[in-house]
Amino acid sequence: MAAPQPKYDVFQAIADPTRRQLLSLLSEQEMPVTSISRHFPMSRTAVSKHLRILAEAGLVKDRKVGRETRYRLESEPLQELKRWLSYYERFWDNKLAMLKHFVESDSTDEAERYGKLEVLKSDHND
Amino acid sequence: MAAPQPKYDVFQAIADPTRRQLLSLLSEQEMPVTSISRHFPMSRTAVSKHLRILAEAGLVKDRKVGRETRYRLESEPLQELKRWLSYYERFWDNKLAMLKHFVESDSTDEAERYGKLEVLKSDHND
DNA sequence: CAAAAGCGAAACCAAAAGGTTTCGCATTAT
DNA sequence: ATAATGCGAAACCTTTTGGTTTCGCTTTTG
């Protein structure tokens, strides 16, 4: 019944610089593990592990071709990141939204201002 | 002489769910540490540490007001994320770019296809 | 068919991450 | 003045992360 619940989410997956380079590399073309690992100063096994993490986050797909496993970029999951980011964009480039924000924050006492209100209800977190 | 070299970059900073919630919370309003920590199921000290990490990544600023330290969102550094992301957007919503991609990948032998070429020259990694 | 190439799994390790509790120090309230 | 609030620093602990080496299995090459 439980959903597949991928162990790694996109945010975690792209947190590591090596994994971001992997995405960059694979965005150019599909590539087998050994070839990929030639671009990195670490063992093939280490690279393989990073690839698995990316795969769990859905950011790469692999397919077996003969004895090799070729990986390719799968960028769709990055849309989640884009969505998350879009919430914050208004804070740096939407002057009107900023203004609205300031206008709305002028009321009441500390309890109400800093209390545990409905603040985390929206889902632009996680 | 050495540049400040922040220990935490934006990618790392937002990798943790708690820290994303912190950003969300602070996007609503400036808030002192204790009030912030009431929103989380962990000690004030733990929250404080997360705030420091966000601060090192430039995602929050703090100012002392009497005995309290108030934190507020600073969204500018997220632009780096947006830039990084923009590189990958073409892979999911730009059909022409995709086509171009396919058209260009049909040549040559393994060495040239998978070798250590100019692949990592651009800086949309890191 | 024997040797080599391509990978993943496993066992292991050091360092980083995410928490906790305790303490001390300013600042504000009684 | 004393007590209470608000915080950060420090010491400590456990789990996760990022890496290594070794082994074994499959597939290709000679």
Side-chain angles (χ1 to χ4, degrees):
Chain A
M1 235 154 283
Q5 264 293 46
K7 188 180 174 190
Y8 289 91
D9 62 29
V10 182
F11 292 93
Q12 264 180 274
I14 65 165
D16 184 276
T18 298
R19 287 195 289 269
R20 289 198 297 280
Q21 287 185 20
L22 279 169
L23 294 181
S24 168
L25 181 59
L26 294 178
S27 78
E28 313 251 350
Q29 65 186 304
E30 186 183 57
M31 219 179 279
V33 178
T34 299
S35 307
I36 296 172
S37 76
R38 276 198 282 271
H39 294 264
F40 297 87
M42 66 186 73
S43 71
R44 172 188 52 81
T45 308
V47 169
S48 223
K49 286 209 230 167
H50 280 301
L51 286 169
R52 206 168 54 68
I53 290 172
L54 289 173
E56 282 179 27
L59 286 166
V60 298
K61 295 289 184 207
D62 65 284
R63 63 178 183 122
K64 310 274 269 178
V65 176
R67 63 184 162 186
E68 46 183 44
T69 307
R70 298 190 186 162
Y71 281 87
R72 65 175 183 285
L73 176 68
E74 197 72 25
S75 63
E76 283 73 22
L78 289 178
Q79 296 191 64
E80 183 190 348
L81 190 59
K82 189 185 171 65
R83 262 200 74 267
W84 180 84
L85 196 54
S86 75
Y87 172 79
Y88 294 97
E89 288 186 15
R90 68 187 197 126
F91 292 113
W92 77 68
D93 63 26
N94 187 330
K95 302 305 179 192
L96 282 176
M98 286 296 282
L99 182 62
K100 177 167 174 295
H101 222 64
F102 283 128
V103 170
E104 281 172 353
S105 64
D106 63 317
S107 47
T108 64
D109 59 313
E110 133 91 20
E112 198 172 316
R113 297 202 356 250
Y114 298 139
K116 205 167 188 170
L117 356 114
E118 307 298 287
V119 139
L120 293 176
K121 62 176 181 301
S122 48
D123 75 334
H124 53 263
N125 340 279
D126 322 273
Chain B
M1 231 158 283
Q5 264 292 47
K7 189 181 174 191
Y8 290 91
D9 62 28
V10 182
F11 292 93
Q12 264 180 271
I14 66 165
D16 184 276
T18 298
R19 287 195 290 269
R20 288 197 298 278
Q21 288 185 19
L22 279 169
L23 294 181
S24 167
L25 182 58
L26 293 178
S27 78
E28 313 252 350
Q29 65 186 304
E30 186 184 57
M31 218 179 281
V33 178
T34 299
S35 307
I36 296 173
S37 76
R38 278 198 280 272
H39 295 263
F40 297 86
M42 66 186 72
S43 71
R44 171 188 53 80
T45 309
V47 169
S48 223
K49 287 209 228 166
H50 280 300
L51 285 169
R52 208 170 51 69
I53 290 172
L54 288 173
E56 281 179 29
L59 286 167
V60 298
K61 297 287 184 208
D62 66 283
R63 63 178 182 123
K64 309 274 268 179
V65 176
R67 63 183 162 187
E68 45 182 45
T69 307
R70 299 191 184 160
Y71 281 86
R72 66 175 182 284
L73 176 68
E74 198 72 26
S75 63
E76 284 72 23
L78 289 178
Q79 295 191 64
E80 184 191 348
L81 190 59
K82 189 184 170 66
R83 262 199 74 267
W84 180 84
L85 196 54
S86 75
Y87 172 80
Y88 294 97
E89 288 186 17
R90 67 187 199 124
F91 293 112
W92 78 67
D93 63 26
N94 187 329
K95 303 304 181 191
L96 282 176
M98 286 296 281
L99 182 62
K100 176 168 174 293
H101 222 64
F102 283 129
V103 169
E104 281 172 353
S105 63
D106 64 316
S107 48
T108 64
D109 59 313
E110 134 91 20
E112 199 170 317
R113 296 203 356 251
Y114 298 140
K116 206 167 188 169
L117 355 115
E118 308 299 289
V119 141
L120 293 177
K121 63 176 180 300
S122 48
D123 75 335
H124 53 264
N125 341 279
D126 323 275

